Amino acid sequence: MPDEIREIGVGMLGYAFMGKAHSNGFRKIEYMTWPPPLRPRLVAIAGRNEQAVGEAAGRYGFERWTTAWEDIVADPAIGLFDNLGPNSLHAAPTIAAAEAGKHVVCEKPLGRTAEESYEIWRRVAATGVKHLCAFNYRFVPAVRLARELIDAGELGDIRHFRGRYLQDWGDTDAQVWRFDSEEAGSGALGDLAAHVVDLARYLVGDIDEVGGFVHTFIPNREVDDAVEATVRFANGAVGTLEATRLALGRRNAFQWEINGTKGSLAFDMERLNELQVFKAGDERTRGFTTVLVSEASHPFWEHWWPPGHIVGWGDTFVHELHHVLRAIADDTDVAPHGATFEDGYRAAEVCDAIVRSSASGRRESLSYRTLES
Amino acid sequence: MPDEIREIGVGMLGYAFMGKAHSNGFRKIEYMTWPPPLRPRLVAIAGRNEQAVGEAAGRYGFERWTTAWEDIVADPAIGLFDNLGPNSLHAAPTIAAAEAGKHVVCEKPLGRTAEESYEIWRRVAATGVKHLCAFNYRFVPAVRLARELIDAGELGDIRHFRGRYLQDWGDTDAQVWRFDSEEAGSGALGDLAAHVVDLARYLVGDIDEVGGFVHTFIPNREVDDAVEATVRFANGAVGTLEATRLALGRRNAFQWEINGTKGSLAFDMERLNELQVFKAGDERTRGFTTVLVSEASHPFWEHWWPPGHIVGWGDTFVHELHHVLRAIADDTDVAPHGATFEDGYRAAEVCDAIVRSSASGRRESLSYRTLES
Amino acid sequence: MPDEIREIGVGMLGYAFMGKAHSNGFRKIEYMTWPPPLRPRLVAIAGRNEQAVGEAAGRYGFERWTTAWEDIVADPAIGLFDNLGPNSLHAAPTIAAAEAGKHVVCEKPLGRTAEESYEIWRRVAATGVKHLCAFNYRFVPAVRLARELIDAGELGDIRHFRGRYLQDWGDTDAQVWRFDSEEAGSGALGDLAAHVVDLARYLVGDIDEVGGFVHTFIPNREVDDAVEATVRFANGAVGTLEATRLALGRRNAFQWEINGTKGSLAFDMERLNELQVFKAGDERTRGFTTVLVSEASHPFWEHWWPPGHIVGWGDTFVHELHHVLRAIADDTDVAPHGATFEDGYRAAEVCDAIVRSSASGRRESLSYRTLES
Amino acid sequence: MPDEIREIGVGMLGYAFMGKAHSNGFRKIEYMTWPPPLRPRLVAIAGRNEQAVGEAAGRYGFERWTTAWEDIVADPAIGLFDNLGPNSLHAAPTIAAAEAGKHVVCEKPLGRTAEESYEIWRRVAATGVKHLCAFNYRFVPAVRLARELIDAGELGDIRHFRGRYLQDWGDTDAQVWRFDSEEAGSGALGDLAAHVVDLARYLVGDIDEVGGFVHTFIPNREVDDAVEATVRFANGAVGTLEATRLALGRRNAFQWEINGTKGSLAFDMERLNELQVFKAGDERTRGFTTVLVSEASHPFWEHWWPPGHIVGWGDTFVHELHHVLRAIADDTDVAPHGATFEDGYRAAEVCDAIVRSSASGRRESLSYRTLES
């Protein structure tokens, strides 16, 4: 490792699915991205289960571990706090870490409600640290390419967005925190629909109005299994948002399509290396092109392989965390390509509005608070 | 033609796109289906443009033509009246033909509103003739197979329906009757969304509630370009309905997906010979199976070719009109596989409810009138 | 039917699979293509089984039927003889019909060997009638579009052709003429590989050399089940040719791919409305485009429907027979888009060379006879 | 890292494309596979360019670097030698390392000819160390699943294999070692066709006969651009093998299909997470199933994510190198799932036979030497 690459101490809260994904992301950054903006040093990891967190520390290479997240917040060796805990543990540790001067990454959804999300954003923004809400799908190469094509005007004005996140593991008796309303806040809404909302905002723009409902199929389940909604965007586009944990056969099918006045895009996370692109042109060869997003000129591809040698889902975390480290190292903005806590808050406003619409039976207009409000 | 096959005189109103499709359907029935239930004799065709209707008569083999549909209704040689006129011409001629004792086929949407549709149904049902609302997509082999799989319980209880009909020809200055609110009644709603509603009803069941809106993108256009809606079914399933004439790159993409407790189905009209089937089972080989619906045991396939030799969009009319002729010949019910005028009316109720929801901002409950009400 | 459209009497030999396909083709021509070049009048049909040929005549609308093909050859009302009999019945009736002054269509393979094929060609060509070897896949819209793109130079120089025709019905004890070496001449070779050879020639050009073998898997079967070969073209392209009746899951998968110096094409008959097109260009949106071949400007589409409303396998015969009728009506060449008997002969030379290579173990050079030789 | 996990010192020759891929593989093993069989310690890396190898050492975390591979062979801290050099550097360093008692991994093709490959195998086998020829595609989860399905008899007897490896970067003036006949030995043959041969052997079995040719399109190029061949397997299956660097639009399209008496499989490396599976059964839902190979019960999936969260091309090296470390740690066989040097030699015999066939014009029978011969 060259001398000139500075180190940053990382503290992590959570060691399960996301702990593995983020640890892998940090570890790969130091050699897959070259030179890395900062060298992540895995200082400490916190979790509830003493044995499990200890094993995770050994496995992923953290220097120390603790069952008290406060230890991490207080640790002077840590410059970046990465919060992967259940949703109920997003607010307090994240705010505390930021107020202790640490840059913060927090898993989505930012808070369990718009109110909680706003509070996290407000308190963290006041400290001046870098903050990223870990909507990692912004860091899929095909998604970034979609954004670049849209920014370049290749779709013209956007008229339609239809997004749905379909999984099928929900028909289970398993007791997991994701079914606990106190810990999770919501079900498919915060877990899956929030991703749809975030990419809708990232690719199309802010949402003005939603109508729809949340629905629970499984008896006695505290949280929703499915979300169905219509949507209007500030720029005039219209569409639908859906999410479910009960679409048999769909494992991780985050699918979206965007239609503009000059072209269209379509995507499915189960084939995350591909972007379907339609551009108006020669009628004889008109159709959607399956772009295998792996060219030297494609987003993030400077880190990887020759064309056609695809990346995996886990690699999106390399891109995401690299983006944070770059922002810290160079004092650049996390936005627009990274989701800030403001983005996390705005997604929460949309999710809350769907819940309100579900109860009221009415389409709900969105209004977003600013830090001054 | 064997002596024992009886003849039926056909009178048609309309000679353009649908006139060609239905004429082709009638002509193929007498040799592709064997033995045909009745031999269609193309007696007369009516249309507004004298030259065009005369040419159509010559081309498709009608014995005579007229610019007055009343001639057809009065023609004693005609036993089946096939109404393919613009939506504003559905009610009067169809009712008159039925009251003159002719069986009737009427293109969708049945009427321009639920009220008009109900009136057509009520008046025609009172005559006792056979009536079919020409939702031809029920007669796609893959769609019928879907219905058979659902009826056999292979999907279990249905939880989700998501259907969308996407076309892209709407960004035009052309003056066609489909953009005229008086003639068409609505835009994408009656033209495309009605198809989605009908297949949702055919495959999942009756709709209890819709919320959503219609939207017009093109300045000065009288009718809607797009429809976005959420939906609840009487059996507890939930989902979305969409239709648009402005999804660039989608030519005739009537796509739907159904998820049940035991399996799922997915379909795209641009690949109308294929049905995607997921059935819970062996985890190692789990996934959607692309069924090329062309086996000897598949619906309608007794009429066609060896496996793998696919049919075209136009062939759905052979199936549809064969179904009507069978019902007439054997005095069997048009339902459940054919859409009756009651089905046409019920689809119109759903479409009207979307329009009401669009105006009111509220989800709208559906109630359906019966003939006694 | 307008007065100015002349009639042509059609005589057919064969009433089974191909009899149905060609009868349907002739019947649709008179209204799907407008105005038709000639109006086909179905005069007479011949076949071995008296009851079956009689029923076919009634079903498809032939005025008379016979068990003696000589009756058809002698019939002065017939101007076009369409030979759909088993391969062993291609030579004598076709030559006799031509020598009686009738234009001739003959199913593929033209003869059972190159020698027999040459003789048919030589004798028929000497009469001056129009002749077409019914390689109907040249008349798939996507295949014609492929040819047009290649002719326009959009692929540059062609380097690779890989074609395979995969079916899976061969693992059967059924006794059908296609397994009889006397009647069929060969198995997958003449039935399927001949199609691959013909499209290779149509799209890439003449074949200079082949190496490979035929193989029979099923015990006691007289004909081959599979063909495997490498190929060199006169223009320097190289590739492979395959055919089998034992590729489980592939029903009618005639798949080919062509790579040139500027672009590539790929096709699968099970999705016959689609052409995959790659054109070198912008790296960011590079990939194969799925062209749904159904635009107004696409080949044959003047006969059909609005974009996105796909055609079926059976419709290729409308195009093929329309092409013959046009050639007869206007005295234009069947070539290059229709396969002449010379094309039938040349395909047979390639098939024979594969058989020779199978026996000799050597790659075999091709030389083609001309009529003067 | 738990105390009980032993360490193994790794020495690497080569730092470019494969150096990155293998380094990443070694680094991920210690936390993605848990517990790892051995903890790889990256001791030393060798390469020709002093600056580049030094940078690679810093980037990937090797303790030291050298421009002399002999240093690595002599290094007592190294227990595993991983040879990623150009083909001309496979033999000497690999043999020397094995003779120094180090386990060896060598990139494919093992040698530039069968003779050279045999010599490497013979010399290395004599030392008793573990040896793996790095045909990494055996370690794609979908490929291993294919093998498991075949081993379980789910395809029945195999009749057909058709494999092709298509890339498109070959139309270039770039001077790279892969175009140098001395360094590379061959072009598409050893680079791409060798992979096809290896998977054909892994999935179907040994090859008895090949016929075909190598072809060079680009003027003045020393090595072949394309390979076309037919093949017969010892078990009676037949098929084709192809490889090219000139198939525009195909970036890394290693595609193969296998047909058996009970089922079929198909695969494309550009969608390496998917396996297409056909199993004979219910005719109504017959077709190829797209299996997203990411279930808990799927091969290698114990190391990864929840279902539907796909892996990348780079992750195949984690599986491959993990397999080697397991064999070393537990003294188990590298075969059958890993390719041994005998497998590397046998693939070379097939490649050589294609070259002989190209020159002789004859199909060539294969005979394989054993260590005793």
Side-chain angles (χ1 to χ4, degrees), chain A residues 154 283-284 288-289 297-298, chain C residues 154 283-284 289-290 297-298:
Chain A
E154 301 204 22
E283 187 181 277
R284 283 183 321 153
F288 278 83
T289 299
S297 59
H298 280 149
Chain C
E154 300 204 22
E283 187 182 275
R284 283 183 321 152
T289 299
T290 302
S297 59
H298 279 150

Side-chain angles (χ1 to χ4, degrees), chain D residues 53-372:
Chain D
V53 72
E55 178 174 303
R59 177 171 183 175
Y60 301 119
F62 287 86
E63 298 170 10
R64 45 190 179 268
W65 55 270
T66 174
T67 55
W69 59 260
E70 293 83 354
D71 295 343
I72 290 188
V73 168
D75 192 330
I78 289 172
L80 171 62
F81 178 66
D82 189 10
N83 189 343
L84 316 172
N87 303 344
S88 55
L89 269 180
H90 285 184
T94 300
I95 293 169
E99 294 184 344
K102 298 172 196 328
H103 303 288
V104 286
V105 169
C106 183
E107 261 303 322
K108 39 62 57 180
L110 183 56
R112 287 162 294 179
T113 62
E115 180 59 35
E116 188 176 59
S117 302
Y118 181 77
E119 186 65 10
I120 299 173
W121 172 38
R122 187 183 68 80
R123 295 278 294 276
V124 168
T127 68
V129 301
K130 302 292 179 192
H131 45 88
L132 178 131
C133 183
F135 284 113
N136 64 305
Y137 291 140
R138 292 186 177 211
F139 294 91
V140 171
V143 171
R144 176 70 71 88
L145 176 60
R147 167 79 185 222
E148 291 180 2
L149 293 171
I150 292 167
D151 282 352
E154 300 204 23
L155 265 65
D157 298 327
I158 295 179
R159 285 171 166 163
H160 285 295
F161 173 86
R162 58 189 69 84
R164 54 197 188 193
Y165 200 148
L166 312 178
Q167 294 186 342
D168 68 354
W169 58 275
D171 204 344
T172 172
D173 291 329
Q175 297 300 319
V176 297
W177 71 263
R178 291 178 190 276
F179 297 146
D180 180 304
S181 65
E182 174 59 25
E183 284 203 82
S186 66
L189 182 70
D191 187 22
L192 304 179
H195 272 301
V196 185
V197 169
D198 183 64
L199 282 199
R201 292 187 61 253
Y202 180 56
L203 296 173
V204 180
D206 264 314
I207 291 172
D208 263 8
E209 185 190 86
V210 292
F213 54 85
V214 292
H215 188 77
T216 303
F217 286 99
I218 306 298
N220 302 318
R221 180 158 293 166
E222 295 179 358
V223 297
D224 60 278
D225 293 315
V227 182
E228 312 288 332
T230 61
V231 62
R232 286 184 187 274
F233 292 83
N235 64 7
V238 301
T240 51
L241 300 177
E242 302 180 72
T244 181
R245 291 165 167 170
L246 292 170
L248 267 185
R250 305 297 181 191
R251 281 312 213 176
N252 199 34
F254 182 2
Q255 306 170 337
W256 50 260
E257 177 168 330
I258 296 174
N259 309 119
T261 53
K262 293 169 61 182
S264 292
L265 302 173
F267 176 81
D268 185 339
M269 194 65 69
E270 290 186 353
R271 288 179 173 167
L272 68 84
N273 292 276
E274 300 179 14
L275 185 67
Q276 302 286 325
V277 179
F278 178 87
K279 290 194 275 194
D282 174 26
E283 187 182 275
R284 283 183 321 152
T285 55
R286 160 191 229 279
F288 278 83
T289 299
T290 302
V291 179
L292 190 59
V293 186
S294 62
E295 301 295 323
S297 59
H298 279 151
F300 307 112
W301 218 257
E302 69 272 20
H303 306 314
W304 300 101
W305 317 108
H309 297 69
I310 64 175
V311 296
W313 173 86
D315 297 322
T316 62
F317 295 92
V318 176
H319 307 156
E320 179 178 62
L321 297 172
H322 177 269
H323 182 79
V324 172
L325 296 189
R326 172 67 64 205
I328 295 169
D330 299 353
D331 193 18
T332 51
D333 287 341
V334 165
H337 293 304
T340 64
F341 282 6
E342 180 173 13
D343 292 305
Y345 155 68
R346 287 187 170 227
E349 282 285 10
V350 177
C351 290
D352 273 20
I354 294 172
V355 173
R356 287 199 306 275
S357 176
S358 190
S360 72
R362 298 197 62 84
R363 292 199 295 276
E364 297 284 334
S365 292
L366 271 298
S367 64
Y368 301 97
R369 300 172 66 185
T370 61
L371 289 180
E372 292 72 39

Side-chain angles (χ1 to χ4, degrees), chain A residues 101-180:
Chain A
K102 297 171 196 332
H103 303 289
V104 286
V105 169
C106 184
E107 262 302 321
K108 39 61 59 184
L110 183 56
R112 287 163 295 180
T113 61
E115 180 60 35
E116 189 175 59
S117 302
Y118 181 78
E119 187 65 12
I120 299 172
W121 172 37
R122 188 183 66 81
R123 295 277 293 277
V124 169
T127 69
V129 302
K130 302 292 179 191
H131 45 90
L132 177 131
C133 183
F135 284 113
N136 64 302
Y137 292 139
R138 292 186 178 210
F139 294 91
V140 171
V143 172
R144 176 70 70 87
L145 176 60
R147 166 81 184 221
E148 291 180 2
L149 293 171
I150 291 167
D151 282 353
E154 301 204 22
L155 264 66
D157 298 327
I158 296 179
R159 286 171 166 162
H160 286 294
F161 173 86
R162 57 190 70 85
R164 53 197 188 191
Y165 199 147
L166 311 178
Q167 294 187 343
D168 69 355
W169 59 274
D171 204 343
T172 172
D173 292 330
Q175 296 300 319
V176 298
W177 72 262
R178 292 178 189 275
F179 296 147
D180 181 304

Side-chain angles (χ1 to χ4, degrees), chain A residues 159, chain B residues 48 86-88 109 112 167-192 215-226 243-247 251:
Chain A
R159 286 171 166 162
Chain B
R48 283 180 285 197
N87 302 345
S88 56
R112 287 163 295 180
Q167 295 186 341
D168 68 355
W169 57 275
D171 205 343
T172 171
D173 292 330
Q175 297 301 318
V176 297
W177 71 263
R178 291 177 191 276
F179 296 147
D180 181 305
S181 65
E182 175 59 25
E183 284 203 81
S186 65
L189 183 69
D191 187 23
L192 304 179
H215 188 76
T216 303
F217 286 99
I218 306 297
N220 303 317
R221 180 159 293 167
E222 295 179 359
V223 297
D224 60 277
D225 293 315
T244 182
R245 291 164 167 171
L246 291 170
R251 281 311 213 176

Side-chain angles (χ1 to χ4, degrees), chain C residues 2 33 48 99 105 119 142 193 204 222 246 333:
Chain C
T33 75
R48 285 181 282 197
E99 293 184 343
V105 170
E119 187 64 11
V204 181
E222 294 180 358
L246 292 169
D333 288 339

Side-chain angles (χ1 to χ4, degrees), chain A residues 8-62:
Chain A
I8 185 167
V10 173
M12 192 175 283
L13 170 54
Y15 49 77
F17 176 28
M18 280 300 123
K20 184 178 180 181
H22 283 240
S23 295
N24 177 54
F26 281 121
R27 292 191 62 148
K28 291 181 72 161
I29 282 171
E30 74 175 358
Y31 61 88
M32 289 306 292
T33 75
W34 194 253
L38 294 171
R39 188 172 79 82
R41 175 180 153 213
L42 302 185
V43 173
I45 186 166
R48 284 181 284 198
N49 183 301
E50 186 162 354
Q51 185 180 343
V53 72
E55 178 173 304
R59 178 171 182 175
Y60 302 118
F62 286 86

